[in-house]
């Protein structure tokens, strides 16, 4: 938050909806929150001007974040249009722990060989 006397500029975010008919591209979980982020100029904490709107979707389970086109986000906020799988553009994909197919232990996703059993995991 930035103050200039009684004026200020602030970044805000607001949850505008919840999707249950769409699955996360990373973990396939079907619970995703739609969030609107924007900047606001205010006078005595009363919003005057809003700009820089961005719509994002965040998975409840793996916390991956996807950008939504602004037009689709505005239409979703007004309950005019639903968001589809193809509208999601990955910004931050958080993966769940990867398991070795040979020994079943949790390993890093980018490992080629399992550090526990030595088997190749990228077959």
């Amino acid at each position: 938050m930035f103050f200039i006397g009684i004026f200020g500029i602030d970044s805000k975010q607001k949850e505008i909806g919840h999707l249950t008919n769409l699955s996360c591209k990373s973990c396939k979980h079907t619970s995703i929150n739609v969030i609107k982020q924007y900047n606001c100029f205010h006078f005595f904490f009363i919003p005057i001007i809003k700009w820089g709107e961005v719509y994002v979707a965040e998975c409840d389970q793996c916390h991956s974040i996807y950008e939504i086109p602004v037009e689709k986000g505005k239409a979703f906020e007004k309950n005019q249009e639903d968001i589809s799988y193809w509208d999601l553009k990955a910004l931050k994909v958080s993966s769940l722990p990867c398991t070795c197919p040979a020994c079943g232990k949790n390993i890093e996703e980018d490992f080629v060989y399992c550090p526990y059993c030595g088997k190749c995991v990228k077959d």
Side-chain angles (χ1 to χ4, degrees), residues 38-49:
Y38 59 92
N39 296 316
C40 178
F41 174 75
H42 55 83
F43 177 72
F44 281 116
F45 301 103
I46 299 169
I48 306 294
I49 300 170

Side-chain angles (χ1 to χ4, degrees), residues 31-101:
S31 183
I32 298 175
N33 292 320
V34 179
I35 301 166
K36 175 183 178 180
Q37 299 174 338
Y38 59 92
N39 296 316
C40 178
F41 174 75
H42 55 83
F43 177 72
F44 281 116
F45 301 103
I46 299 169
I48 306 294
I49 300 170
K50 294 179 185 178
W51 74 92
E53 292 179 340
V54 176
Y55 292 87
V56 294
E58 180 183 13
C59 177
D60 285 345
Q61 184 170 342
C62 70
H63 301 289
S64 295
I65 299 175
Y66 302 96
E67 183 179 14
I68 300 168
V70 176
E71 306 82 39
K72 286 276 192 175
K74 286 182 180 182
F76 178 78
E77 189 173 16
K78 296 175 184 175
N79 293 324
Q80 294 175 345
E81 192 172 345
D82 208 8
I83 296 170
S84 71
Y85 181 84
W86 305 109
D87 295 326
L88 302 178
K89 178 185 171 191
L91 292 179
K92 181 188 138 223
V93 177
S94 303
S95 60
L96 296 174
C98 183
T99 58
C100 172

Side-chain angles (χ1 to χ4, degrees), residues 103-121:
C103 67
K105 297 209 177 184
N106 289 340
I107 58 171
E108 296 287 326
E109 185 178 345
D110 57 346
F111 283 178
V112 176
Y113 294 96
C114 176
Y116 300 104
C117 68
K119 302 285 183 182
C120 181
V121 295

Side-chain angles (χ1 to χ4, degrees), residues 8-24:
I9 297 173
D10 199 7
S11 296
K12 299 204 180 251
Q13 80 176 27
K14 173 182 164 186
E15 186 175 322
I16 60 170
H18 192 78
L19 300 171
T20 55
N21 62 341
L22 187 64
S23 63
C24 174

